[in-house]
Amino acid sequence: MQEKFNGIVAITDDFAKQHLNDEYAQLLRFATAALCRKKPSPLAKGREKTWACGITHAIGMVNFLFDPSQDPHISAKEIYQWFGVNPSTGQSKSKQVRDTLDMHQMDPDWCLSSKLDDNPMTWMISVDGFILDARFTPREIQEVAYTQGLIPYIPDNGESEYIGDKQASPHHEKAVNPSPNALYVLDVFLIDGPITEEFIAENSVVSRTIEIKGSNTLEDLHKIIFKAFDRQEEHMYEFQVGGSGPQDPNARRYCLKQAFSSSGLTQTPTGDVSSTSIASLGLSIDEAFGYWFDFGDDWWHQINVTNIVDKAQSGKYPRITKRVGASPPQYADFE
């Protein structure tokens, strides 16, 4: 496969030199090499330029290359045009690449190294059924996660700081003004669910920016997320916030009381969403927490706290301030 590798990489290197950067070029080489090592290799058949297009599109989807807010960025249409490949063919090859390498959006294995620190999927681990950010867990859990290959390195070389029974990291600010009058700015990313490949190809990023007051409840947050993603039918849901496991006082799971008994979960919830205020969560700027909607179809969301303002301006809250990407249908038709 050496000749095929050299041919494809020559094309992707040229594209990266014109439109991307050296970091992208190297990642494209890694992906091409990984495909060459497969037995049998899918690259054995097909035009080099077509495969180069598919590999570039696949890596671009993982790293949100099509999002204008990213640097560098380029549209999928421009990729197809540069490689001289029909869009349907380019999408098909991209899907084949992603399926072969088990590649998905925000995949830590195929994320640009410069984006690893800010990629929430890099650090999200499951501890006794809780989805946690490894950067905020005790050192012993970080070491286990690293040994098992779940995180790329131990955050901050073990220099994280403990404050009381909470852990803080130099990359994250401490809790800011837990006042009911504070304004929380949240970016809600859809990271997994029953979504078709066609939808993913057209919507590389699906997120909503929400402003909510500290006095609002988690039930209010659920309702505005429900509205933001244009959902039509209610289901059970749950928020997962911080901690290192169910025995850790910082490991908190919030849901409807009836949702807990219906989900089959065995851990006692920390609180009811209807009576838990946003301010009471002790959130910090740059902290992330999870939102799980529909215990059957399993729509998973990552919620990032991008800002906390001391006092909200007058107005109606919560509210949606930004939409990126189309909302996938609540019940996708895969037939």
Side-chain angles (χ1 to χ4, degrees), residues 22 46 50 97 106 110 129 177 199 201 224 233 242 248 250 289 307:
D22 291 340
T50 304
V97 169
M106 304 176 77
W110 296 104
N177 187 14
F199 180 88
I224 197 66
E233 292 187 9
D248 188 322
N250 296 322
F289 60 102
N307 197 13

Side-chain angles (χ1 to χ4, degrees), residues 13 70 73 77 85 91 100 111 137 143 149 178 185 288 294 296:
D13 278 354
Q70 301 298 304
H73 75 271
K77 181 179 179 181
V85 173
Q91 290 180 18
T100 302
C111 177
T137 59
E143 290 176 350
V185 182
D294 189 342

